[in-house]
Amino acid sequence: MEFNRGDSIWELMLTQRPSDTHFSQSSTPGGKSPLARDDDNTLNTHAVLFDGTKTALVILGTGVALGAAAMKAAPHVKSGLISLKSKLRRRAEEATDAEAPVPLTVVAEVEPEQPDPPRLRAV
C-alpha cells in the first residue's frame, strides 16, 4: 500500500532485523532508519523490508473474523454465565438451609398423673 503526500511517498512495510538490535534514529522527528544497531549503537546490519499490505490485510481480516465470532458467541456465553450464576446461588442457598439450626420447642415437663390412692370406706 503506497500513496503520495506532497513530495513524499508513504508505503506500509513489514521489517525484519536481528532480535538483539534496534533501529537507528532518523533525522525526521519520530522516524526510524532501517539501519540495525546493537546496544553500543554500532551499526550491525540493514533491516530487510517486506510489503506490509498483505500482512495488514491478514491482520485486519483476522480481527474482523474474531469480532464477528465474538458477537455471535456473546449471547451463548452470557446465557451460560447466567445459568452458572443461578446454580451457584441455589447451592449457596441449599448450604445455608442445611446449616441453619432447627428451632427447638421447649415443652414444660409435667409429672405423670398418679392414680388416686384407694380410699378406705367407713363401715
Side-chain angles (χ1 to χ4, degrees):
M1 177 185 307
E2 126 181 354
F3 58 95
N4 272 336
R5 181 161 183 186
D7 60 347
S8 299
I9 295 175
W10 289 77
E11 189 171 355
L12 182 62
M13 301 296 286
L14 185 65
T15 63
Q16 178 187 15
R17 60 182 168 79
S19 60
D20 57 346
T21 63
H22 61 274
F23 287 121
S24 294
Q25 279 302 121
S26 171
S27 59
T28 305
K32 299 284 184 177
S33 168
L35 301 174
R37 298 183 176 269
D38 61 16
D39 290 338
D40 297 329
N41 218 26
T42 305
L43 180 61
N44 191 325
T45 186
H46 286 80
V48 180
L49 306 175
F50 297 95
D51 182 17
T53 306
K54 293 176 188 172
T55 305
L57 290 175
V58 168
I59 292 170
L60 180 64
T62 303
V64 168
L66 288 175
M71 293 296 289
K72 188 163 182 115
H76 300 291
V77 171
K78 183 178 179 183
S79 172
L81 290 174
I82 290 171
S83 173
L84 177 63
K85 185 177 175 182
S86 71
K87 284 180 187 177
L88 291 174
R89 186 178 299 130
R90 269 185 270 141
R91 283 190 183 163
E93 289 173 358
E94 289 170 2
T96 306
D97 291 344
E99 293 172 3
V102 177
L104 299 176
T105 306
V106 177
V107 178
E109 269 189 46
V110 178
E111 292 287 327
E113 228 177 87
Q114 297 289 328
D116 290 336
R119 291 188 186 178
L120 295 175
R121 285 206 265 171
V123 185

